[in-house]
């Protein structure tokens, strides 16, 4: 049964999908449908509560995918969280609004993406943003900014929460970061991130609620008559226009199960845009017959476009935690972040690490190629890893992020490696779209990733033990001196890191924007290679990890994609 006919059908009303829906429906002659598996969550306290990070985990709005057992980390699986709601993962995330380092966006251009660099992306970051200038009180608490790099008229409200931790805590934390030689940065979103600061978040200060994609991009335009939203509707696959005389295959809609469980189709006259997230969009491509012919063949799916890189190149980061007891109780929102370069973490050992990693690149490439069953290419991976290596060791972009959260009689640190080399994959495991996928991020597959995480865990211990905190921090709760003594070897640290890590939930690159011979799935307009009218617009297309958190960059990419779509048709 057909639900209707539209110019554009968007699969997934998430972070990126709602940007596309908003921008395309600005033209009242353009009809747009959004199909979203989840429901509206504007009244869900687990979503709206500004300080409520984690409340939504494990509830009905968390897909909580499960990874394959992680061979390089004790064979345990990991829970991979993602939002199932209008607004997608922006409804359950940590709210951080942090972009990227200019050099790493510039690196995209070396991957066959002409015109994609920091300079050309910056206008789209701004276009998406409505920066709420901090109040005097917030400035007194230690917020700083450069309004020139922010947008002030876009849909997405950013800024600082109302209840900030005060000046005294800020001075304490600033002195702590400074003890490791890290400079203060006034503005974290101008493309140069090394240093520490209080970072902005996605928040509606007036309503004192989380600002997510639904609130920013859908609520204000929900009454447009050319925009239809289908919630609780799960897309299985796209349908092909068998009558098309176009030399490149065209799709003409999607198949989905509606809120009542009925099987339906919906027609797209112009394009289908996949915005189902990095752990879904590649699967929808595969179910539709776009992917590796080997994998599709195994599951009896007819190959429409042989595109072996669909679902490859999966990259994520790993998070660790350090917890300390404290004689002081701090209240209010803590938003302290430090971005450390390789030299900040490894000091005099940086030179040796550089040599070791450079000498390992061929072997890193070989491991990744082997793990991909030969889908990825040795020479290509060497090239990609050389670019990756140079970002770390030549450009010295941040490799580690450390957040400090002073709380009730405790001081928590969380940290993660920003630029792991390890790569994995995501693929379908049957021809039934309700079967969970095989998701393997291959955490700690390559030894730089572990070394980086150990170096950062040690830096956390140094921060906690700094002079600045000695009157406040009273003991180490985790990892704890029993399991990781002060003079612990790297082997002992490695065990502690692997025993307690979690996914950082920054999955990317499963339908990467790159030249096709480098392993790309979409071109610079985010059109899928070999198909006339399908785009992927979400975290799947990000080819290399970013130092910031993902949404800021995803909103910018989606703004730019919407413009590319408009350019094609108007
Ligand atoms: P997103 O997940 O937003 O959207 C996909 C949508 O498609 C979802 O609504 C989903 O329900 C829907 N969908 C999936 N399959 C479907 C199907 N078959 N049919 C129909 N609909 C379907 N980033 C940041 O900037 N700051 C932060 O603090 C954090 N913190 C953080 C914490 C946690 C716990 C997580 C999980 C993630 C973060 N992130 C983050 C990451 C960031 O939030 C995330 O990368 C983006 O929101 C992803 O945006 P996408 O548009 O790619 O997918």
């Amino acid at each position: 049964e057909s639900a209707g006919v539209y110019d554009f059908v968007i699969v997934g009303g998430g972070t990126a999908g709602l940007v596309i829906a908003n921008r395309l429906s600005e033209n009242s002659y353009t009809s747009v449908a959004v199909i979203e598996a989840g429901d509206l969550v504007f009244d869900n306290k687990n979503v709206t509560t500004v300080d409520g990070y984690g409340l939504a985990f494990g509830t009905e709005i968390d897909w909580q995918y499960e990874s394959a057992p992680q061979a390089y980390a004790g064979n345990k699986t990991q829970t991979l969280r993602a939002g199932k709601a209008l607004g997608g993962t922006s409804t359950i995330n940590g709210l951080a609004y942090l972009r990227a380092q200019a050099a790493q966006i510039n690196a995209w251009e070396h991957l066959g993406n002409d015109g994609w660099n920091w300079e050309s992306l910056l206008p789209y970051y701004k276009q998406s943003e409505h920066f709420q200038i901090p109040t005097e009180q917030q400035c007194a608490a230690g917020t700083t900014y450069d309004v020139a790099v922010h947008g002030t008229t876009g849909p997405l409200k950013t800024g600082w929460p109302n209840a900030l931790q005060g000046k005294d805590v800020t001075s304490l934390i600033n002195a702590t970061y400074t003890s490791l030689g890290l400079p203060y940065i006034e503005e974290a979103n101008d493309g140069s991130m090394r240093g520490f600061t209080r970072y902005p978040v996605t928040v509606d200060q007036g309503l004192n609620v989380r600002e997510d994609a639904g609130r920013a991009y859908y609520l204000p335009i929900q009454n447009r008559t050319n925009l239809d939203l289908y919630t609780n509707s799960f897309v299985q696959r796209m349908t092909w226009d068998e009558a098309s005389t176009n030399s490149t295959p065209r799709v003409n809609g999607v198949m989905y199960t509606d809120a009542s469980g009925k099987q339906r189709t919906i027609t797209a006259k112009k394009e289908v845009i996949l915005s189902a997230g990095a752990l879904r969009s590649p699967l929808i491509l595969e179910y539709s017959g776009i992917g590796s012919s080997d994998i599709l063949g195994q599951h009896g799916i007819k190959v429409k476009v042989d595109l072996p890189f669909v679902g490859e190149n999966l990259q994520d980061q790993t998070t660790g935690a350090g917890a300390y007891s404290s004689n002081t109780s701090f209240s209010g929102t803590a938003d302290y972040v430090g971005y450390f370069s390789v030299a900040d973490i490894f000091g005099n050992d940086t030179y040796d690490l550089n040599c070791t990693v450079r000498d390992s690149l061929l072997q890193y490439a070989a491991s990744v190629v082997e793990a991909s069953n030969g889908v990825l290419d040795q020479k290509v991976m060497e090239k990609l890893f050389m670019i990756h290596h140079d970002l770390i060791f030549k450009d010295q972009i941040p490799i580690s992020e450390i957040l400090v959260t002073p709380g009730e009689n405790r001081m928590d640190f969380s940290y993660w490696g920003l630029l792991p080399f390890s790569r994995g994959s995501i693929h379908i495991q049957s021809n039934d779209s309700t079967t969970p996928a095989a998701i393997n991020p291959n955490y700690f597959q390559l030894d730089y990733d572990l070394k980086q995480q150990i170096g950062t865990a040690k830096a956390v211990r140094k921060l906690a033990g700094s002079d600045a905190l000695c009157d406040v921090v009273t003991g180490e709760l985790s990892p704890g001196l029993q399991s990781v003594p002060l003079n612990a070897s790297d082997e002992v640290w490695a065990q502690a890191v692997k025993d307690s890590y979690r996914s950082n939930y920054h999955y990317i690159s499963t339908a990467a924007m790159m030249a096709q011979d480098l392993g790309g799935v979409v071109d610079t307009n985010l059109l899928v290679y070999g198909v006339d009218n399908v785009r992927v617009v979400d975290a799947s297309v990000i080819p290399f990890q970013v130092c910031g958190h993902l949404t800021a960059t995803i909103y910018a990419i989606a703004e730019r994609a919407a413009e590319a779509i408009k350019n094609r048709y108007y």
Side-chain angles (χ1 to χ4, degrees):
E1 205 178 328
S2 173
V5 180
Y6 296 86
D7 292 318
F8 298 98
V9 172
I10 299 164
V11 177
T15 312
L18 293 179
V19 177
I20 304 290
N22 180 312
R23 296 305 185 189
L24 293 185
S25 62
E26 279 172 348
N27 178 331
S28 59
Y29 295 104
T30 302
S31 57
V32 179
V34 176
I35 310 185
E36 166 54 46
D39 212 334
L40 306 183
V41 289
F42 296 115
D43 298 324
N44 183 334
K45 288 274 178 283
N46 295 336
V47 172
T48 54
T49 308
V50 175
D51 254 351
Y53 184 61
L55 291 177
F57 294 178
T59 70
E60 74 288 353
I61 67 164
D62 177 4
W63 285 102
Q64 39 184 336
Y65 302 118
E66 190 172 14
S67 80
Q70 291 303 285
Y72 305 96
N75 267 323
K76 285 177 306 189
T77 62
Q78 282 285 327
T79 303
L80 307 177
R81 303 196 186 282
K84 182 185 182 185
L86 189 78
T89 304
S90 74
T91 66
I92 68 164
N93 75 9
L95 300 180
Y97 181 84
L98 287 157
R99 295 171 179 170
Q101 178 82 18
Q104 69 192 155
I105 304 293
N106 293 342
W108 295 4
E109 207 154 28
H110 305 305
L111 308 174
N113 298 315
D114 275 357
W116 282 83
N117 50 53
W118 174 258
E119 189 105 327
S120 67
L121 198 56
L122 186 56
Y124 299 99
Y125 280 112
K126 289 185 180 178
Q127 184 170 310
S128 67
E129 192 188 10
H130 173 163
F131 181 65
Q132 301 157 108
I133 311 280
T135 59
E136 245 171 70
Q137 210 179 357
Q138 289 178 321
C139 290
T143 62
T144 57
Y145 61 97
D146 172 7
V147 75
V149 302
H150 290 281
T152 50
T153 56
L156 181 77
K157 295 197 174 95
T158 65
W160 283 268
N162 299 326
L164 281 188
Q165 294 197 344
K167 192 164 154 255
D168 294 350
V169 199
T170 305
S171 326
L172 191 68
I173 302 302
N174 289 0
T176 308
Y177 282 122
T178 308
S179 72
L180 288 198
L182 207 61
Y184 179 75
I185 44 170
E186 297 226 316
E187 173 57 68
N189 282 313
D190 64 358
S192 122
M193 304 183 76
R194 177 182 167 248
F196 68 89
T197 196
R198 297 194 79 145
Y199 63 88
V201 295
T202 49
V203 64
D204 182 324
Q205 290 175 339
L207 298 175
N208 194 28
V209 295
R210 168 194 296 271
E211 177 81 338
D212 56 48
R215 220 168 256 286
Y217 279 91
Y218 179 74
L219 256 194
I221 55 133
Q222 58 177 330
N223 293 329
R224 285 184 189 163
T225 53
N226 57 330
L227 173 63
D228 286 343
L229 171 65
Y230 298 81
T231 52
N232 299 302
S233 298
F234 180 81
V235 171
Q236 286 116 26
R237 64 176 176 85
M238 295 179 283
T239 53
W240 292 97
D241 183 356
E242 304 293 355
S244 166
T245 53
N246 202 304
S247 57
T248 320
R250 281 180 63 84
V251 299
N252 59 7
V254 306
M255 283 179 61
Y256 71 99
T257 315
D258 75 7
S260 69
K262 271 209 201 87
Q263 189 65 39
R264 287 185 177 270
T265 58
I266 193 163
T267 301
K269 285 188 292 182
K270 294 192 167 79
E271 290 192 4
V272 171
I273 294 110
L274 298 181
S275 299
L279 301 184
R280 275 286 181 188
S281 291
L283 306 176
I284 297 172
L285 289 171
E286 291 185 339
Y287 289 122
S288 308
I290 306 170
S292 142
S293 52
D294 281 353
I295 291 171
L296 302 191
Q298 276 167 37
H299 304 298
I301 293 171
K302 191 172 158 226
V303 180
K304 197 75 188 177
V305 180
D306 186 2
L307 206 53
F309 304 122
V310 171
E312 296 298 325
N313 286 311
L314 169 62
Q315 297 161 61
D316 189 15
Q317 302 153 328
T318 59
T319 320
Y324 293 82
S325 55
S326 150
N327 55 20
T328 313
S329 273
F330 301 100
S331 64
T333 305
D335 43 22
Y336 304 102
V337 66
Y339 281 107
F340 297 75
S341 71
V342 68
D344 295 325
I345 296 293
F346 291 99
N348 291 337
D349 296 334
T350 305
Y351 181 79
D352 282 349
L353 181 66
N354 182 357
C355 295
T356 313
V357 172
R358 215 183 38 222
D359 291 347
S360 305
L361 291 182
L362 299 193
Q363 178 251 313
Y364 284 5
S367 305
V368 166
V369 169
E370 195 190 327
S372 78
N373 292 321
V375 172
L376 299 179
D377 175 79
Q378 175 73 22
K379 284 276 166 279
V380 166
M381 285 318 302
E382 287 172 18
K383 177 185 157 102
L384 298 186
F385 281 168
M386 199 61 204
I387 295 173
H388 192 132
H389 167 275
D390 287 353
L391 287 168
I392 296 171
F393 292 100
K394 288 206 175 125
D395 298 307
Q396 301 245 342
I397 76 174
I399 63 158
S400 303
E401 172 164 338
I402 303 180
L403 299 169
V404 186
T405 310
E408 302 268 318
N409 287 111
R410 53 187 287 151
M411 183 79 76
D412 286 290
F413 295 77
S414 59
Y415 60 93
W416 56 91
L418 298 163
L419 307 170
F421 281 87
S422 301
R423 286 179 184 226
S425 62
I426 173 167
H427 292 294
I428 57 172
Q429 299 204 85
S430 87
N431 62 5
D432 171 0
S433 61
T434 58
T435 308
I439 313 178
N440 186 2
N442 274 324
Y443 297 117
F444 302 116
Q445 172 192 27
L446 304 174
D447 62 4
Y448 162 86
D449 300 358
L450 186 58
K451 289 196 167 104
Q452 174 284 322
Q453 202 68 345
I454 292 172
T456 311
K458 291 180 183 171
V460 164
R461 184 173 269 176
K462 272 196 213 153
L463 286 172
S466 70
D467 285 351
L469 288 183
C470 71
D471 290 339
V472 173
V473 164
T474 51
E476 182 171 297
L477 305 169
S478 160
L481 297 177
Q482 262 94 37
S483 52
V484 185
L486 285 178
N487 60 356
S489 65
D490 277 5
E491 285 68 37
V492 170
W493 274 107
Q495 198 55 46
V497 161
K498 289 184 177 183
D499 283 348
S500 59
Y501 86 102
R502 66 161 170 80
S503 160
N504 197 42
Y505 314 131
H506 286 186
Y507 338 107
I508 57 159
S509 202
T510 51
M513 176 179 71
M514 289 198 284
Q516 208 173 345
D517 58 4
L518 296 183
V521 171
V522 300
D523 68 15
T524 52
N525 289 314
L526 308 186
L527 278 162
V528 175
Y529 288 118
V531 190
D532 184 57
N533 62 340
V534 175
R535 280 176 227 251
V536 181
V537 185
D538 58 25
S540 318
V541 304
I542 299 177
F544 272 21
Q545 206 53 262
V546 293
C547 293
H549 295 225
L550 292 177
T551 56
T553 299
I554 293 171
Y555 285 120
I557 291 173
E559 287 280 5
R560 183 165 171 160
E563 201 172 285
I565 299 170
K566 287 177 170 180
N567 286 342
R568 178 175 183 183
Y569 296 97
Y570 311 115

